[in-house]
Structures are given as structure tokens and as C-alpha cells.
Amino acid sequence: MSQRQAAPRAGTGDGPRLRLGSWPTPLEAAPRLAAALGLGADDLWIKRDDLIGLGGGGNKVRKLEYTLGGAVADGARTVVTSGAPQSNHARLTAAAAARQGLTAVLVLEGDAPTDVRGNLLLDGLLGAELVWAGHVGPAALAARVEQEATVRTAAGRPAAVIPFGGSSVLGAHGYVRAGEELLDQAPELTTVVTAVGSGATMAGLVHALGAGRVLGVDTGAVSDGPDRVAGLVAGLSGTPADPEALRWDGDQVGAGYGTLTAAVRSALRLLARTEGVVLDPVYTGRAAAGLVDAVRTGAVSPGERTVLLHSGGLPGLFGHPDAATLTG
């Protein structure tokens, strides 16, 4: 069967799925980082979802296998999605669309910049059409996405909307599979630390591993993170989920989404200089800062098997206005 076909997974109830990555992604030991944090040499591992491959890699590929799979199965020739200017999800939607021979329309918040860097550079390289929505709120951005989809469908290019961040119950199935991978690779897993943006990554992991084994680190991408995650978990399980049951670190946001905090700057340097692993300032950098803080507070302890999810996002580093401050 071609990797470009959308094929149902029998018995899962999660619908058509494209094969966009190579699975499983590596789980790598991080003994020097562990030692720097006061953990045992075998305590700390990194799940390398940045190495998925498509379009620069990252966690959104797992979600797109399902969300784009559904769009292809429904006959879409165009996909429309939204995000911030340096959106990893938008970049990977463009890459996945290119692989499927589809047109990608990316509706981005803000105004077109004069300097095209990072994910924006890759969006253009991948052939995506960029629509700048101006400085609008989430509701207006979503409305613009629907408008763009309607226009393209009327023009004879049937369009499907891929949700913001790829976060829907359908998209969350990608991280149910990731949780199952982790159980195969590290059955003694105690905690997986993940950045939380629009919620589906954490939700899928919680569904697969249980709320007690997933520590979500808020990036400030949305204002109602725990409620969103719980809603997606409920959608996956078919039963209510309590946001208060989630392990949640809301202390790494700082002045807001996209800002570089001192804790994140320190964590980025630590990962780079102990393990040669490069993170981004918005998502994985916050996850690493959350990991450091969890060790400090005792939420993560020596003798436990802990995994840091590297969910990708490296291109965003090259588009961040404070990137040059990381080298000192």
C-alpha cells in the first residue's frame, strides 16, 4: 500500500490515516543532562519526535496523519489552517499537503513581516499560500479560515479545515499512538514531560498513559489549557475527564506566549551543552524548563524513569527575535 494513501486502521474507530512519518521515533538516553539535574544516569530519556522527518519534523505530523487523512478521504484538494506567524503546525500542514499534492492555505495572525525567517521561510519553500489576518482574536481568526475554505470550494478546489494546532479528538489519536510507542520502549515509565499548546498532544498521552504519568507544561498558546486537554481526553474515552486531575505546570509562560524567559534560556543552554540537543524557545524550551523545575520541587525524583518529549519546533528558533541572546 502506498504511503500516500489514506487507509483505515481496523478496529480503532479513529478513521482514515495517512502514513507521513517513520515510526517509532527514537527514545534516547540523556545521562549528562540527568547528572546535571541530580538524577541517575538511567533516569532521564528524550523521545525524539523532532526526528519524524517530514517538513523539518515535530509532533504535528502525528496529528496530521489523522486530520489530513480525513480531509483526503473526503475529497479535499485544498486544506486551510491557522496559527501564529512562526506556527510549527502551519509549516507541517504545508509539508503534508505538498506530499499529498494538495494546496495549503495558511491563515496567520498579524501582518506580513518584512523579514522572512524560520517557519515562514519554510512555508514559502513548501509552496503554501499565506493569508495575513491582521491582529485579531481567536474567533475572528477561525472565521477567516472558514471564509478562505468557502471561497476555494466555490472556485472548484474543495477545501477542508485543519483545526488550529491540529487539536481535535481526531488529531489527538496521533498521540494515543505515541503513548503506546512509549509503553513499548519504556514500560517502566513514570513521567513524560510535554509542552502544551492547543492540547491534543497531552490529551493523547493522558489517554494512553493515564493522567498521573503525564506532566503538561503550559506554553501560553491558549488561555484555557487544562479545560481543553480534559475535553479532548473525554472525547477520546467517551467519559468525562476532570481538568483538576491533570499534572499541570503553569509557571513557565512568563510574560506570554512567544516570550523568552530566563528559565527557558537556561534550559535551552543546558540541553544543548549536555546532550547536543537543540530546542525551541516557545514549546520544547518551556517543557525543558518545566522538567528542571519538577526535579527541583520533587515532582520528578531520582530512580524514576522520566521522558522529555522533544516535540520539534527547531525552525521557530531561527525566527525568534531573541535567538541571538542564547549564545552567551
Side-chain angles (χ1 to χ4, degrees):
M1 179 177 66
S2 168
Q3 288 188 337
R4 297 176 184 245
Q5 292 176 324
R9 295 181 67 219
T12 63
D14 47 25
R17 175 187 160 215
L18 297 170
R19 269 61 171 183
L20 298 175
S22 298
W23 316 113
T25 56
L27 183 65
E28 298 178 347
R32 284 175 48 79
L33 175 61
L37 296 179
L39 300 176
D42 196 45
D43 289 348
L44 186 57
W45 296 67
I46 303 176
K47 178 66 167 166
R48 298 299 302 270
D49 272 12
D50 60 314
L51 300 181
I52 286 173
L54 176 73
N59 64 324
K60 306 302 183 180
V61 176
R62 291 189 186 268
K63 302 174 187 180
L64 283 160
E65 289 200 329
Y66 292 92
T67 56
L68 193 62
V72 169
D74 289 342
R77 301 303 303 152
T78 305
V79 290
V80 188
T81 197
S82 62
Q86 287 294 330
S87 168
N88 298 307
H89 164 69
R91 179 243 310 167
L92 285 168
T93 299
R99 180 170 290 188
Q100 298 300 314
L102 308 178
T103 300
V105 179
L106 310 179
V107 180
L108 304 179
E109 193 274 335
D111 302 318
T114 56
D115 185 13
V116 177
R117 298 180 293 169
N119 278 312
L120 278 175
L121 187 153
L122 296 181
D123 294 340
L125 179 64
L126 291 162
E129 178 184 343
L130 305 187
V131 175
W132 292 94
H135 298 279
V136 299
L141 190 65
R144 183 62 182 272
V145 167
E146 295 292 342
Q147 177 187 350
E148 296 295 333
T150 298
V151 167
R152 281 153 181 81
T153 298
R157 293 284 295 179
V161 171
I162 305 297
F164 171 77
S167 286
S168 62
V169 173
L170 181 60
H173 281 287
Y175 268 88
V176 175
R177 290 187 63 247
E180 293 166 351
E181 278 182 27
L182 276 171
L183 287 176
D184 288 339
Q185 293 171 317
E188 70 279 33
L189 173 70
T190 299
T191 299
V192 56
V193 182
T194 180
V196 184
S198 49
T201 296
M202 183 178 182
L205 291 172
V206 168
H207 182 75
L209 303 173
R213 290 202 278 189
V214 184
L215 173 59
V217 182
D218 192 2
T219 65
V222 298
S223 61
D224 57 346
D227 290 334
R228 284 191 183 225
V229 173
L232 291 166
V233 173
L236 288 166
S237 66
T239 59
D242 181 6
E244 296 294 327
L246 300 173
R247 294 176 67 185
W248 188 264
D249 179 354
D251 295 334
Q252 308 306 325
V253 175
Y257 178 83
T259 60
L260 178 60
T261 69
V264 170
R265 181 182 286 108
S266 176
L268 288 169
R269 290 173 175 165
L270 181 63
L271 267 288
R273 296 173 187 184
T274 58
E275 299 294 344
V277 172
V278 182
L279 307 176
D280 84 287
V282 178
Y283 292 96
T284 52
R286 281 189 167 91
L291 169 65
V292 172
D293 192 58
V295 175
R296 180 187 63 81
T297 61
V300 166
S301 302
E304 299 176 346
R305 177 61 56 88
T306 300
V307 172
L308 173 66
L309 175 65
H310 191 332
S311 54
L314 178 59
L317 173 63
F318 301 108
H320 197 282
D322 296 324
T325 68
L326 295 169
T327 60

